[in-house]
Every structure is written in structure tokens, then in C-alpha cells.
């Protein structure tokens, strides 16, 4: 805790508390290469060096996030926080990282301790490996473990053919039958499966930051696509504001087709805090932010 506070607790702590608004980029794109374009569009609207802070919330690992930032010529220091692995880890940018990854980020060890509660650990991993083996047929591998993306609090699997794996509701049922406490999330149009602790998620990570850093949820604006990963709907509930980017994430609709309830039943359609941007250009994003009262020009 002392190490984390020394690196991010000084100016970073004060900066997050002083932000007038926090923009959370939680867009699950059809193509990962589109994410830097959306980052830049949102940042252009907010203006650099202003009273707006930025959080990236994604299913990607921190190394993938780093590569993404490099590809878009975006500095990690432009962000306050990175919620990675579908909420399995929280990182802060750092100029001198002591993290095991060797990347310019520092993991929030307090968040890791928080989500550790009843985490299945190695027993859960073995159960998931057996499940992956049962899904595979004799001729080809359909589900395989992804060691490069897996972490202590996120077991990642590659899905070679999303059409041949059980829908999310069936997988969640299997986990409950095994008396395992965790969240299972299909990501990136069903090509990736993330398994994280039951106390971890992208939505719960935001609420952790609210408690940890005094971040006001009413001053948070979440940017999401029309659809996304199977934890997508959790990003809409709460007192924060939401801007939906029209046309983004539509390919993920098939992930939600076999739900036990329709997606529209859990997404508030008449909330004054939820507006749609017709496109993810600078002007397209600026228009709903004006209506929400976040910006004036």
C-alpha cells in the first residue's frame, strides 16, 4: 500500500479528486484498432490539460493496452487509471514502474486484496481447464488457455470458434453447479473468455475508485458502444452519465442472443443520463455531452 501511494497517491491522488469530470472509455469495439481513434476523439472534446480525467476500462491485458497506446501515439500519462482484464486488475500510469511487467504502470495492490475474497485460484483454474478440454473435439482445439493474457486474478482463454462454445448463461450455470464464485465474461466478439473474481468487474472497479480516491460517480461519463462484452449492461446502472456511440460493437449482439432475459430489459431506455452519439467523431461526441450539461461549447 505504501509503495502504491508513493507512486500514485501524491499528485495523482489530488488530481483525481480535483477533476470536474472523469471520462471512462469503456467501448468494446468490433476491431481493437478502432479504440485509439475513439480515445483521441473523446480527448479532443475534453481538451488536454483541462479539468477532465480519463479512465480506460477494457477486457485487454495491461501489455495489450500498452501496445494499443503506442499504436495510437497516446501517452499512458494522459490517463488517470486503467481497468484491465474486464476488471481483474486496476493500474495507474507511472514514470518509473517497479511492476513485474516492466511497463510504465503500477498495479493497485489494495484492489487486488479486495477482490481476493473467495477467489477460486488454482482449483478454479483446473476446473476451467477440464471444461475447455471437454469442449474440444478430437479433430481440433476450440478453447485453449491463454497464458500470455492470464494473471493471478484473470484466467484468459482463446475461443477459436465462438459458435461451438456454450452461451454465457450455460457457462455461468456450470460455474454455479461447481460452487465456484467468479465472473465469466465473453470478450472481443466471443473470441476471448475472461474469468475473474466474483468481486471484480469493470463496473465494480469504478465503485472501488469512488471509495479509494473520492471520485464522484455523478461526475463520471461512461462511453460505451451499442453492444459489447457480456458484462456490458453493468456499465449502465448507477448515477453516472452514459454516452452510447452508435454503430460501435454491433457484432457482439450475437453474444447476448442466448440470454435468460432480453438485453433491453436491463438497459434503461428513458434515463436522462443516457444519450446517444450518432458517430464517434469529435462533433458527434460533443453533441450529447452538451445535452448532459458536461460541456458548454
Amino acid at each position: 500500500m505504501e509503495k502504491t501511494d508513493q507512486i500514485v497517491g501524491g499528485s495523482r491522488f489530488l488530481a483525481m479528486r480535483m477533476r470536474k469530470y472523469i471520462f471512462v472509455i469503456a467501448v468494446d469495439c468490433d476491431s481493437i484498432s478502432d479504440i485509439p481513434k475513439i480515445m483521441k476523439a473523446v480527448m479532443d472534446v475534453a481538451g488536454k490539460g483541462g479539468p477532465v480525467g480519463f479512465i480506460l476500462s477494457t477486457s485487454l491485458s495491461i501489455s495489450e493496452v500498452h501496445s494499443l497506446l503506442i499504436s495510437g501515439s497516446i501517452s499512458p500519462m494522459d490517463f488517470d487509471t486503467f481497468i484491465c482484464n474486464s476488471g481483474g486488475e486496476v493500474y495507474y500510469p507511472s514514470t518509473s514502474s517497479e511492476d513485474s511487467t516492466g511497463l510504465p504502470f503500477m498495479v493497485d495492490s489494495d484492489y487486488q486484496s479486495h477482490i481476493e475474497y473467495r477467489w477460486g485460484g488454482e482449483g478454479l483454474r483446473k476446473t476451467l481447464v477440464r471444461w475447455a478440454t471437454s469442449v474440444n473435439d478430437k479433430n481440433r482445439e476450440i478453447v485453449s488457455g491463454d497464458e500470455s493474457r492470464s494473471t493471478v486474478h484473470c484466467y484468459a482463454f482463446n475461443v477459436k470458434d465462438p459458435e461451438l462454445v456454450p452461451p454465457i448463461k450455460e457457462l455461468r450455470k456450470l460455474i454455479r453447479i461447481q460452487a465456484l464464485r467468479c465472473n465469466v465474461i465473453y470478450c472481443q466478439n466471443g473470441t476471448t473468455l475472461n474469468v475473474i473474481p466474483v468481486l471484480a468487474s469493470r463496473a465494480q472497479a469504478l465503485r472501488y475508485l469512488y471509495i479509494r480516491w473520492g471520485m464522484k460517480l455523478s461526475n463520471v461519463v461512461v462511453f460505451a458502444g451499442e453492444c459489447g462484452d457480456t458484462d456490458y449492461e453493468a456499465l449502465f446502472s448507477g448515477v453516472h452519465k452514459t454516452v452510447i456511440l452508435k454503430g460501435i460493437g454491433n457484432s457482439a449482439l450475437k453474444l447476448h442472443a442466448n440470454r435468460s432475459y432480453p438485453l433491453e430489459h436491463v438497459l434503461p431506455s428513458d434515463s436522462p443520463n443516457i444519450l446517444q452519439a450518432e458517430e464517434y467523431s469529435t462533433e458527434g461526441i460533443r453533441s450529447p455531452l452538451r445535452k448532459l450539461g458536461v460541456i458548454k461549447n
Side-chain angles (χ1 to χ4, degrees):
M1 181 174 178
E2 288 180 359
K3 183 184 293 185
T4 305
D5 285 345
Q6 287 171 5
I7 294 176
V8 302
S11 60
R12 183 67 57 181
F13 169 77
L14 292 174
M16 288 190 71
R17 294 199 61 171
M18 296 296 291
R19 300 295 192 197
K20 186 174 181 180
Y21 289 102
I22 298 287
F23 285 2
V24 181
I25 302 172
V27 181
D28 305 316
C29 291
D30 297 332
S31 173
I32 294 177
S33 61
D34 289 334
I35 298 179
K37 301 175 187 176
I38 295 174
M39 290 181 188
K40 289 183 176 180
V42 173
M43 288 178 170
D44 286 345
V45 172
K48 289 188 177 181
V52 178
F54 299 98
I55 294 175
L56 179 64
S57 181
T58 177
S59 64
L60 302 177
S61 66
I62 192 62
S63 60
E64 290 175 307
V65 167
H66 187 238
S67 299
L68 202 64
L69 294 174
I70 292 175
S71 69
S73 301
I74 301 171
S75 170
M77 301 305 294
D78 289 339
F79 285 83
D80 290 307
T81 312
F82 298 90
I83 299 172
C84 300
N85 293 104
S86 300
E89 277 85 29
V90 170
Y91 287 88
Y92 305 101
S94 172
T95 55
S96 57
S97 174
E98 296 180 24
D99 188 66
S100 58
T101 61
L103 301 175
F105 308 97
M106 174 54 62
V107 68
D108 189 327
S109 56
D110 289 342
Y111 181 73
Q112 288 187 314
S113 299
H114 167 65
I115 64 176
E116 184 68 31
Y117 177 70
R118 291 194 177 182
W119 171 229
E122 185 61 20
L124 171 62
R125 190 191 69 81
K126 291 180 179 179
T127 300
L128 293 169
V129 169
R130 287 196 298 269
W131 167 78
T133 302
S134 69
V135 172
N136 297 329
D137 58 31
K138 295 180 180 179
N139 299 321
R140 58 173 171 166
E141 191 177 53
I142 299 170
V143 180
S144 61
D146 189 345
E147 295 297 328
S148 64
R149 293 185 63 253
S150 295
T151 65
V152 175
H153 295 102
C154 178
Y155 297 138
F157 292 83
N158 291 318
V159 180
K160 304 295 178 60
D161 191 342
E163 300 294 333
L164 298 179
V165 295
I168 191 64
K169 67 175 182 179
E170 296 297 330
L171 187 50
R172 287 170 177 166
K173 181 179 179 181
L174 172 66
I175 293 296
R176 288 196 301 270
I177 291 173
Q178 296 289 334
L180 297 169
R181 293 171 58 86
C182 61
N183 285 327
V184 288
I185 303 141
Y186 280 129
C187 316
Q188 300 174 35
N189 295 335
T191 60
T192 300
L193 174 70
N194 282 345
V195 182
I196 58 178
V198 70
L199 292 183
S201 72
R202 289 193 289 175
Q204 291 184 96
L206 283 178
R207 281 149 183 79
Y208 166 83
L209 293 172
Y210 155 72
I211 296 172
R212 167 79 190 213
W213 299 113
M215 187 179 72
K216 293 183 179 180
L217 289 178
S218 59
N219 291 345
V220 170
V221 182
V222 175
F223 294 86
E226 284 194 85
C227 200
D229 301 346
T230 53
D231 64 343
Y232 168 80
E233 69 270 18
L235 297 171
F236 288 80
S237 60
V239 300
H240 63 266
K241 300 170 178 63
T242 303
V243 174
I244 300 174
L245 305 183
K246 189 175 180 180
I248 301 297
N250 284 336
S251 297
L253 283 169
K254 60 186 177 182
L255 295 178
H256 300 265
N258 294 311
R259 306 173 64 91
S260 55
Y261 49 82
L263 186 61
E264 57 268 20
H265 285 186
V266 294
L267 297 182
S269 58
D270 56 351
S271 172
N273 286 333
I274 300 178
L275 292 180
Q276 189 173 81
E278 293 300 318
E279 55 185 18
Y280 66 85
S281 65
T282 302
E283 187 53 40
I285 293 172
R286 183 177 283 117
S287 178
L289 291 177
R290 286 197 197 101
K291 296 177 182 178
L292 289 169
V294 175
I295 60 174
K296 296 181 179 180
N297 51 30

